Amino acid sequence: MIKLLILDLDKTLLRDDGTISKEDKNAIQLCKEKGIKASIISGRNEESMIDIVKELDLFESVHIGVNGAILIDYKNGIKELVTIDNHVYSFLVKKFNEENRDFMPLNKDGYFYNKKGPLYQDVITWIKEESLKKGDLSTLKDCYRISVRFENEKDLEHLKSYLPKSMYGTVDRNVYDIRPTKVNKFTGLKELMKHYNVTKDEIATIGDQGSDIELLKNTKYSFAVKNASEDAKKAAKFLLNKTNNENAVSEMIKIILKA
């Protein structure tokens, strides 16, 4: 019996215009009425998730942000789960500055971004421009993630060549999201499993890209949207016939309510 529904946001629940369909909202509400709890696990932080949480009436739920780095309880506060070692962070920022790279760190104070480079157009699709913070990026502490832009596959391989073993990255278009190797969406889910007292076989998950792979691989009822990356499709137990623009979440919920 499924007791917990886990929702990814971008390119999964959210349509390309950033909205949630009425069909998907109604399906999530139906799950709640059936006694299935619902939580979000996303690459976003608490600030960039809160409007969606309110829209879905999930303010009472506990969520995971920054792909497993923080546990978000809007009533009782934010719990940091994993941050980047500060020495590693300083090394990477020095390399990025030497190579004149476009990058954006994230810590408990928010997203830091000092220029309107190529990364900017990607950033403002899911973060309000007024939420971006400026400052000396080299002095930031206890960051959760660094998003850095690359030009092509050769450039990405160069980035990977000096990435410390304590770090790994996932790709979304031309952005490489770098975080500690000991954190991912599934390690975040483990925190929710403790909170809700459920097992991984009592959870339904849905996703679309590389950052969702561990989550999809390690849960019994895992779904990839039709527009998911090939790696995400291979990791999921079920492939959906609909994309994020065609109510894929509603399609998944119809299936799990029959399980």
Side-chain angles (χ1 to χ4, degrees):
M1 178 181 176
I2 294 171
K3 297 181 179 179
L4 178 62
L5 172 66
I6 297 295
L7 300 164
D8 173 50
L9 294 181
D10 297 284
K11 298 291 184 180
T12 300
L13 174 63
L14 297 182
R15 295 183 287 195
D16 289 349
D17 62 1
T19 62
I20 304 170
S21 72
K22 182 179 179 180
E23 290 84 351
D24 284 349
K25 279 192 276 192
N26 287 343
I28 294 166
Q29 180 59 36
L30 180 59
C31 272
K32 292 167 60 182
E33 292 171 2
K34 297 284 187 181
I36 300 173
K37 297 184 181 298
S39 291
I40 293 167
I41 295 186
S42 172
R44 298 185 180 216
N45 72 341
E46 69 277 9
E47 182 182 358
S48 56
M49 283 170 53
I50 191 167
D51 289 344
I52 299 165
V53 167
K54 288 178 178 177
E55 182 178 356
L56 295 173
D57 193 22
L58 295 178
F59 200 77
E60 301 293 322
S61 297
V62 175
H63 310 279
I64 296 294
V66 200
N67 292 327
I70 57 174
L71 184 144
I72 302 170
D73 183 338
Y74 286 106
K75 293 180 67 178
N76 299 304
I78 309 303
K79 177 183 177 183
E80 290 185 340
L81 301 176
V82 182
T83 60
I84 299 171
D85 179 89
N86 291 325
H87 294 294
V88 171
Y89 174 82
S90 296
F91 164 76
L92 289 172
V93 169
K94 182 180 179 182
K95 291 288 290 185
F96 297 158
N97 283 329
E98 287 173 353
E99 297 178 356
N100 195 30
R101 289 195 177 274
D102 203 10
F103 67 97
M104 180 182 70
L106 166 65
N107 68 9
K108 63 181 177 58
D109 296 318
Y111 296 91
F112 286 79
Y113 191 60
N114 284 342
K115 60 182 180 178
K116 291 188 176 181
L119 185 58
Y120 177 76
Q121 291 303 320
D122 180 79
V123 167
I124 61 171
T125 63
W126 54 285
I127 306 171
K128 295 176 182 177
E129 184 174 8
E130 57 269 27
S131 296
L132 294 173
K133 303 179 185 301
K134 296 185 182 295
D136 183 357
L137 304 190
S138 64
T139 63
L140 298 180
K141 302 294 183 184
D142 303 322
C143 290
Y144 307 130
R145 180 182 70 211
I146 312 173
S147 298
V148 56
R149 198 174 188 278
F150 62 92
E151 295 300 323
N152 48 45
E153 285 300 319
K154 183 178 179 180
D155 192 31
L156 176 60
E157 290 307 310
H158 174 67
L159 264 176
K160 291 179 179 179
S161 72
Y162 58 76
L163 198 66
K165 291 182 179 179
S166 62
M167 305 289 290
Y168 80 107
T170 55
V171 174
D172 183 11
R173 288 161 290 182
N174 279 73
V175 180
Y176 195 45
D177 287 324
I178 299 170
R179 58 184 73 89
T181 53
K182 57 187 175 182
V183 61
N184 57 59
K185 286 188 176 181
F186 183 63
T187 63
L189 178 60
K190 289 179 180 178
E191 294 292 321
L192 293 187
M193 288 164 59
K194 292 179 205 173
H195 179 82
Y196 289 116
N197 191 28
V198 297
T199 70
K200 62 183 181 180
D201 290 343
E202 297 173 318
I203 300 169
T205 58
I206 184 170
D208 73 294
Q209 60 173 311
S211 59
D212 300 310
I213 288 174
E214 293 302 316
L215 190 69
L216 299 174
K217 279 199 314 188
N218 287 288
T219 46
K220 183 177 180 180
Y221 297 96
S222 61
F223 297 79
V225 296
K226 184 178 179 180
N227 52 303
S229 69
E230 289 305 313
D231 286 344
K233 288 179 180 179
K234 289 177 183 176
K237 309 300 189 302
F238 302 92
L239 301 182
L240 295 168
N241 294 314
K242 296 183 178 180
T243 70
N244 63 309
N245 292 314
E246 300 169 325
N247 310 317
V249 168
S250 176
E251 180 188 358
M252 175 192 69
I253 288 172
K254 288 177 183 177
I255 294 170
I256 68 173
L257 289 180
K258 296 176 182 178

